[in-house]
Amino acid sequence: MRSRSALLIFAMVAGLLGPLPSVAQGGGASERPPVALVLSGGGARGFAHVGVLKALEAAQVPVDMIVGTSMGAIIGGLYASGMRADELEREIVAVDWGDLFNSREPRQLLSQRRKEQDFELSPVLQLGFRDGEFRLPTGAISSRSLEMLLRRYTLATRHLDSFNQLPTPFRAVATDMETGRAVVMDRGDLAAALRASMSVPGVFSPLSINDRILGDGGLVNNLPVDVARAMGAEVIIAVNIGTPLAGRDTLDTVLGVTAQMVNILTEQNVQASIATLTPNDLLLAPPLGKLTSSDFDQALELVKIGNAYAATVSAALTRFSVDGPRYASWTQARSAQALANAERVGRIGAIRFEGVSEERAERLTSALDTAPGQRVDVPRLEADLRKLSVTGDYERIDYTLSRRADNGTEDLTIQLRENTWGPNYLRVGLDLRTDFQGEGAFNLRISHNRHWLNESGAEWRNRVQLGETVGLFSEIYQPLGRNGERFVSAHVNGTVNKVELFNDAGEALALVQRQGLTVGADVGWPIGLRGTIGEARLGVVASTRRATPELLSAAIPAGVSTVRWTERGLRAAVMADQLDFANFPSRGYRAQADLTLGRRDVGGGDTTDFTRLDSSFTAVKSWGVHTVNLGGRLAYTNQIPLAAIDEYSLGGFQNLSGYRTAQVAGNYLLFGRLTYYQRLAYSVGVARALFVGGSLEAGNAWTDRSDITLRELRGAGSLFVGADTGIGPLYLSLVSAPRGYTGLYLFLGRP
């Protein structure tokens, strides 16, 4: 406690006396002119700034002020707020930058409804519909996680009137996107200032601050030497890590030309800033080679390069260094000021929402774990923000804390901005398959989700399918209870498809067109917080179906005609999904079971009881790049009418590979699959990852219960190369089955 009190006393004395007197150069007696550190933007290349800061600390170089743009603003702002270089290195290396810029939270945190969308279709295109027009999402990458990260690191600075009150005075540079002028931010919300400075066009959405739309500062002043001069700096240490202009070979695409245009604008203003440097200043330009602004996974390497380069110019840094006691005084003053700022964290007072209606705000407040009277708990607060983000309804989620003068509590304001391309969301997807022997299929799917039909969170979900199967699905979903503890649902599903019937030898017997219409209503309960584990349903269901023969072989008796039947009954369903990815998962599980009991009326007045059960599971575990995926299915029904038999069928890729689709069918179905795949080190722009693997499969379907025997299980297998692409999982596979065929299979979609 004594050392902590001494630091606080030192901070107060430093505040009374103002900045420390200019520190003697090289430890001598003469006064040292004010030194500014100027850090340029450059995306991931900006991690090299941390290495330079480490070298400055090793050389005992104190800086009197820091100015930064884009990533230079983030690194410089965090250092100015009191973090040491080794702390910065530790934090940035620990961050999973791939997940940080992900537009969606980890899949396990999504509600079951959102997870199911991953299995409805493989999205080729996502867009929204609002005010009579189609709209694309703004910004290519989500900045939500970055904003929370910056908010966490700068929480202790939130009450400062000016950035001059930081342990090291600081300025961030952004661009006014309406006027094209540079904006120098010297006060206000530090986290927002850092985020605004790094609003890279086409990557992060611009940020609105004080009624101005702010974009990346690199567009107008990527190496803001002039800002440091205006602060009173007489000596500049400038660090330029900007991306150099690309070569001719990159200028054959729209993306390449656009990136080059931004680089040209940036490089022109950087050269103008460099031209203002004098012999008293120092320009550092770490040799980052081919490392690009998007190489966030190379954070540690970039820090090392920056540090190694700065160490090679240690002789040049000597003229900025001071003796040990003076450098210790400088670092102690920074630490004391940072500690004094951190002491101001208090308890939560009122909780408010901005950007949504009062009714919705009340509903959202009740779902938070953060409550008035609690001490400010950043992890809990961030978890609450993730609850809001997993809905997918908000393009920006942020928070601020403001101290009340009357009682010292912290009023929490959660700032929400609804998606400008919502609340109608559309996805267009496709799937296709071919065995290169004339058998194949293609389907185009379009889904529409309308969120927030009312302020209690009702949704309307629709799906249209064209191709091998023509289908229409629609569901109204209404949460009930203050926190959505239960829900009701009404749904309708219509399909038209053609079914091939086969004999035991695999010969096609008939081609039948089947039509079906099902309506139902459920009451349900989310499993886990907000349904993050799954959901359970109880309901009623009714359906009508018709099967019409179109082509018949000579083996089919004459006189076969259209068959019609209806069903009505009670339905119970449960689903649990904790897979980390819908395609090529690396860990987790997914299980579902659907049971229906009721009455069936077949044309001719034949009425019977029926039972239908369909269940499946998937369990996945990984060891490094190696993944094992175990899956299975168990299904049963009694007395399926003619041509409905394909409801419980096997055949097709990884569903008894080497058999034709629906070739193996019956009233009782048993299937198991063991799949191994390994993630490849290669990466391509259109895919999350590339995989190579294979599967072993066994299963069969039987007409009567008395026919079931494990000795008649059919074996199959596959070897494949796969890619998790932006339009869904893509497989090129060699499939084989002893009682089927051996050949190539191309599959786009989900097995």
Side-chain angles (χ1 to χ4, degrees), residues 456-702:
S456 59
E459 296 183 12
W460 183 27
R461 182 171 60 168
N462 303 286
R463 186 172 65 251
V464 176
Q465 178 170 316
L466 303 173
E468 177 191 36
T469 298
V470 177
L472 173 65
F473 170 83
S474 184
E475 180 189 37
I476 295 290
Y477 175 94
Q478 175 64 65
L480 300 176
R482 187 175 179 85
N483 295 316
E485 299 89 354
R486 59 193 183 280
F487 61 85
V488 292
S489 163
H491 47 87
V492 58
N493 187 24
T495 60
V496 177
N497 65 336
K498 295 186 179 181
V499 181
E500 279 190 290
L501 303 182
F502 299 86
N503 62 17
D504 291 340
E507 299 171 337
L509 298 178
L511 179 66
V512 177
Q513 183 191 76
R514 196 186 75 176
Q515 301 174 9
L517 178 66
T518 302
V519 296
D522 301 321
V523 58
W525 299 266
I527 302 175
L529 187 62
R530 306 175 314 281
T532 54
I533 295 179
E535 66 178 29
R537 294 185 178 219
L538 290 175
V540 294
V541 64
S543 64
T544 177
R545 302 181 184 181
R546 181 176 67 181
T548 304
E550 292 192 349
L551 294 174
L552 301 175
S553 72
I556 299 295
V560 175
S561 61
T562 297
V563 177
R564 296 179 176 84
W565 68 96
T566 60
E567 294 178 347
R568 58 194 179 277
L570 301 177
R571 171 177 175 259
V574 62
M575 167 72 74
D577 187 340
Q578 287 291 284
L579 296 176
D580 57 347
F581 295 100
N583 311 324
F584 300 101
S586 61
R587 65 181 184 276
Y589 65 88
R590 175 182 167 89
Q592 68 88 27
D594 196 315
L595 174 66
T596 305
L597 304 173
R599 299 283 291 175
R600 177 185 295 134
D601 297 325
V602 183
D606 186 11
T607 301
T608 61
D609 295 330
F610 78 91
T611 301
R612 179 183 294 114
L613 170 68
D614 194 358
S615 61
S616 63
F617 77 92
T618 298
V620 187
K621 187 173 180 59
S622 293
W623 295 265
V625 297
H626 306 283
T627 300
V628 173
N629 185 322
L630 179 65
R633 184 184 177 197
L634 173 67
Y636 155 75
T637 190
N638 61 318
Q639 301 178 350
I640 296 181
L642 178 67
I645 203 168
D646 73 314
E647 286 184 330
Y648 297 145
S649 63
L650 297 171
F653 180 61
Q654 291 198 351
N655 194 38
L656 279 189
S657 303
Y659 286 87
R660 296 180 65 181
T661 301
Q663 181 176 332
V664 181
N667 292 349
Y668 299 83
L669 182 147
L670 181 63
F671 174 72
R673 178 183 63 241
L674 179 65
T675 305
Y676 163 83
Y677 42 87
Q678 175 181 338
R679 182 168 180 166
L680 301 178
Y682 311 107
S683 62
V684 293
V686 297
R688 172 180 67 89
L690 300 176
F691 301 86
V692 61
S695 66
L696 296 175
E697 306 152 37
N700 207 345
W702 300 270

Side-chain angles (χ1 to χ4, degrees), residues 272-304:
S273 294
I274 291 175
T276 67
L277 296 177
T278 71
N280 293 328
D281 303 322
L282 178 64
L283 175 64
L284 302 179
L288 303 181
K290 295 184 178 180
L291 291 169
T292 71
S293 59
S294 60
D295 285 331
F296 286 92
D297 59 337
Q298 299 295 316
L300 184 58
E301 180 65 19
L302 285 158
V303 172
K304 290 180 178 178

Side-chain angles (χ1 to χ4, degrees), residues 9-51:
I9 293 172
F10 188 90
M12 290 187 289
V13 172
L16 291 173
L17 299 180
L20 285 174
S22 297
V23 188
Q25 294 190 39
S30 61
E31 288 197 347
R32 171 179 175 272
V35 177
L37 180 64
V38 179
L39 305 178
S40 80
R45 291 164 66 96
F47 293 145
H49 289 317
V50 179

